[in-house]
Amino acid sequence: MLITHDTRCALDTVVDLVNTVPEDETAPDGLPDVAALQEFVGTHEISDVGVLSELDLSAVRRIRGRFAAVFAAPDARTAAGLINDLVAAAGTTPRLTDHDGYDWHIHYFAPGASVADHLTADCGMALAFFVVAGEQERLRRCEAPDCRRAFVDLSRNRSRRYCDSRTCGNRLHVAAYRARRKEAAG
């Protein structure tokens, strides 16, 4: 599957956005305030965003939950319905652009759109490309029992199971190894 630079940026953004959702009532919100949203926007180099407000923060928090549902969708039809609803609500307006040193690419948000609509349009379309390509199963949650972070499996054979093999994957492999040693010594 060919993934263009702008689609890859949108995928990274939507994964990071989904992963700001608190995992339970005791976990901190990854977007606790407008300053955190501003930092998120800067980190992901989201263009054409003006001054952010509490209304923007509230709107972005709403859409991230809807994006989380796409990663939890049991099948392509469910994912497609969720993405269609998201993209339609954002007033998607495809247009070609070449800004900030990047070659021609497509923005899906309307000029002057809110940060929530901007994220919804661009990230929603990036996820839509995966559903269209028959690759919806690549939109995953970490299989570590204590994690559940979202990620996009871009491995050649679609075999990635953990959000990060150095942390979650390694931790589970070490635990399994220790359990086998304990059982063998037992």
Side-chain angles (χ1 to χ4, degrees):
M1 177 175 185
L2 174 66
I3 301 174
T4 61
H5 170 76
D6 51 314
T7 300
R8 179 59 193 257
C9 290
L11 288 171
D12 291 343
T13 299
V14 72
V15 164
D16 289 348
L17 180 63
V18 167
N19 288 333
T20 66
V21 175
E23 292 192 28
D24 58 39
E25 301 80 34
T26 62
D29 192 308
L31 289 176
D33 53 32
V34 175
L37 178 59
Q38 186 66 52
E39 183 178 336
F40 183 89
V41 165
T43 298
H44 293 282
E45 298 178 354
I46 300 169
S47 60
D48 295 333
V49 175
V51 177
L52 299 173
S53 69
E54 289 291 332
L55 290 173
D56 291 309
L57 178 62
S58 177
V60 168
R61 284 178 175 168
R62 273 192 307 278
I63 63 158
R64 72 179 177 178
R66 295 179 70 192
F67 277 126
V70 174
F71 281 84
D75 55 49
R77 183 166 304 284
T78 304
L82 294 166
I83 294 167
N84 282 341
D85 291 346
L86 276 160
V87 171
T92 306
T93 308
R95 62 188 168 96
L96 290 167
T97 184
D98 67 337
H99 62 87
D100 298 329
Y102 294 107
D103 286 333
W104 289 105
H105 59 282
I106 301 173
H107 281 187
Y108 294 96
F109 60 93
S114 70
V115 68
D117 283 347
H118 179 136
L119 290 169
T120 301
D122 277 358
C123 295
M125 290 305 299
L127 295 175
F129 294 140
F130 275 75
V131 174
V132 168
E135 302 285 353
Q136 180 263 334
E137 73 276 0
R138 290 182 181 268
L139 308 177
R140 298 194 174 156
R141 292 293 193 153
C142 184
E143 290 183 19
D146 59 340
C147 182
R148 306 300 299 152
R149 291 177 56 86
F151 69 94
V152 178
D153 178 4
L154 297 177
S155 67
R156 186 173 295 233
N157 62 358
R158 298 176 187 90
S159 63
R160 188 170 159 199
R161 298 174 51 206
Y162 307 109
C163 64
D164 186 346
S165 61
R166 290 177 305 236
T167 55
C168 291
N170 192 41
R171 189 175 65 248
L172 289 175
H173 289 116
V174 168
Y177 171 75
R178 288 180 179 158
R180 285 191 306 271
R181 284 193 54 192
K182 184 178 179 180
E183 185 178 309

